[in-house]
Amino acid sequence: MDIRHLRSFVTVAENLHFSRSAEQLGVSAPTLTAQIQEVESSLKARLFNRTKRSVALTPAGEAFLREARATLEQFEKAISVGQRAGRGQVGRVEIGYVGSAAFFGVLQDQVQRFRNQWPDVMVNTREFPTEQLTALLEDGRIDVAFVRMPVELPDAISSRILARDRFCLALPADHFLAKTVNDILPSALASELFVLPEQGLGLREVARRGRFAPQIGSVPGSLVAVLTQVALGMGIAVIPSVLIQTVQLPNIVFKEIAGPPIFSEVGALFRRHEKLPIVCNLISQILESEDLNHPH
């Protein structure tokens, strides 16, 4: 017995008419009769009481009809889920991110837009250290990563810049430079102790412009942890200016860096030759996004 036999039985049970059911199924009446007989033979039970004038379900037929309908419904659901999964409409996407992608709103924007477009897809998000994300992508443990650029990329990984701001300084409120009204020259920071974020691009460029080797006091990890260290007077930090609007901590002053802006970018990383349709849908959305510029 296969799904074809179940469909034939349910059609006859609903119509209680063999000729009409055969026409509906697109088979001959003898073929349909043979299929019903095969079902009854498999079950070793009579399903229909049939006379020249009427067709009626037996008690066994009524019981089997309930289960056959449920089986057909589950079968159709399985077919639908498989087809939708093939189109990337259902399933699960694993996203890794660094905190600054969330501060910038890039993570929220992309996830919300994707959920709106594909409401039956489960989207899991988790924060990771920057240095882990490319390996997680290559290993297939995550599908897309949102990071602060630049990140060294293997050949199998592509990127897309989604947002841009500039670096600024975070200083303890009682620091003597916090009281100046002017932008702070990089050379004025030569003797300072720095709290280093995961992404060290900003500090490297400040040190290059100021012609000094930076003294690193601590590398606490997340940007919130960096600002907490600054607020505790453990040093100063070169941080993305988006934090001025998104993180408010006592005992911190933000100051601009003199000279041309040092830009900071947030981007998405993904596998260059992605095969999963559901992930391809998210990548397509990312690639269609325009770069976001946020001058502050």
Side-chain angles (χ1 to χ4, degrees):
M1 190 190 315
D2 57 29
I3 204 71
R4 172 175 51 94
H5 289 87
L6 290 182
R7 285 201 181 100
S8 295
F9 165 73
V10 170
T11 303
V12 175
E14 291 176 345
N15 290 325
L16 295 177
H17 195 288
F18 271 74
S19 295
R20 190 182 307 134
S21 298
E23 183 179 350
Q24 184 176 328
L25 291 165
V27 298
S28 67
T31 297
L32 179 57
T33 298
Q35 289 176 352
I36 297 303
Q37 289 172 344
E38 289 170 2
V39 174
E40 291 177 326
S41 176
S42 295
L43 298 176
K44 296 181 172 56
R46 180 175 290 279
L47 301 177
F48 295 100
N49 286 323
R50 185 177 181 186
T51 69
K52 290 183 178 180
R53 295 187 176 182
S54 67
V55 176
L57 283 166
T58 66
E62 291 177 352
F64 186 58
L65 178 59
R66 289 192 294 270
E67 300 303 322
R69 279 173 170 162
T71 299
L72 285 175
E73 182 179 347
Q74 184 58 43
F75 178 77
E76 296 297 338
K77 181 179 179 181
I79 293 295
S80 175
V81 169
Q83 291 172 336
R84 294 169 67 204
R87 296 190 296 267
Q89 295 175 332
V90 296
R92 185 176 68 186
V93 173
E94 299 288 343
I95 293 177
Y97 67 92
V98 296
S100 56
F103 289 130
F104 224 119
V106 166
L107 175 69
Q108 299 91 314
D109 173 66
Q110 291 293 332
V111 169
Q112 188 59 55
R113 287 168 54 199
F114 187 74
R115 282 177 170 158
N116 290 343
Q117 180 71 23
W118 311 105
D120 294 328
V121 175
M122 179 183 296
V123 180
N124 294 331
T125 59
R126 182 179 170 189
E127 184 173 1
F128 290 95
T130 299
E131 66 271 12
Q132 294 182 14
L133 286 168
T134 53
L136 291 170
L137 266 175
E138 285 192 290
D139 293 345
R141 285 178 284 173
I142 62 173
D143 299 306
V144 173
F146 293 95
V147 303
R148 188 163 287 277
M149 304 294 282
V151 174
E152 186 174 347
L153 300 179
D155 291 340
I157 304 299
S158 291
S159 66
R160 169 76 171 186
I161 301 302
L162 297 173
R164 184 177 294 109
D165 69 349
R166 69 190 186 286
F167 284 103
C168 67
L169 293 175
L171 306 99
D174 60 356
H175 193 285
F176 77 96
L177 288 173
K179 299 174 175 59
T180 180
V181 296
N182 298 320
D183 296 348
I184 297 176
L185 291 167
S187 58
L189 304 172
S191 61
E192 297 296 327
L193 189 66
F194 288 90
V195 181
L196 183 64
E198 283 187 288
Q199 174 56 267
L201 170 67
L203 177 56
R204 288 197 300 272
E205 180 59 17
V206 167
R208 187 192 69 80
R209 293 182 183 187
R211 298 185 179 182
F212 64 88
Q215 303 176 61
I216 308 300
S218 62
V219 187
S222 72
L223 287 172
V224 171
V226 168
L227 291 181
T228 301
Q229 292 276 292
V230 173
L232 292 172
M234 305 300 291
I236 68 174
V238 180
I239 51 98
S241 59
V242 68
L243 296 182
I244 298 173
Q245 283 75 37
T246 56
V247 180
Q248 299 296 322
L249 286 179
N251 199 44
I252 284 186
V253 171
F254 296 99
K255 302 294 291 185
E256 296 291 345
I257 301 168
I262 304 171
F263 288 111
S264 173
E265 297 175 326
V266 172
L269 309 182
F270 44 87
R271 289 181 286 274
R272 188 180 299 275
H273 302 295
E274 181 59 60
K275 297 292 193 299
L276 292 175
I278 189 172
V279 180
C280 289
N281 287 341
L282 177 55
I283 293 172
S284 294
Q285 172 186 294
I286 290 168
L287 292 176
E288 290 167 3
S289 302
E290 295 183 3
D291 286 2
L292 302 177
N293 296 286
H294 292 261
H296 298 303

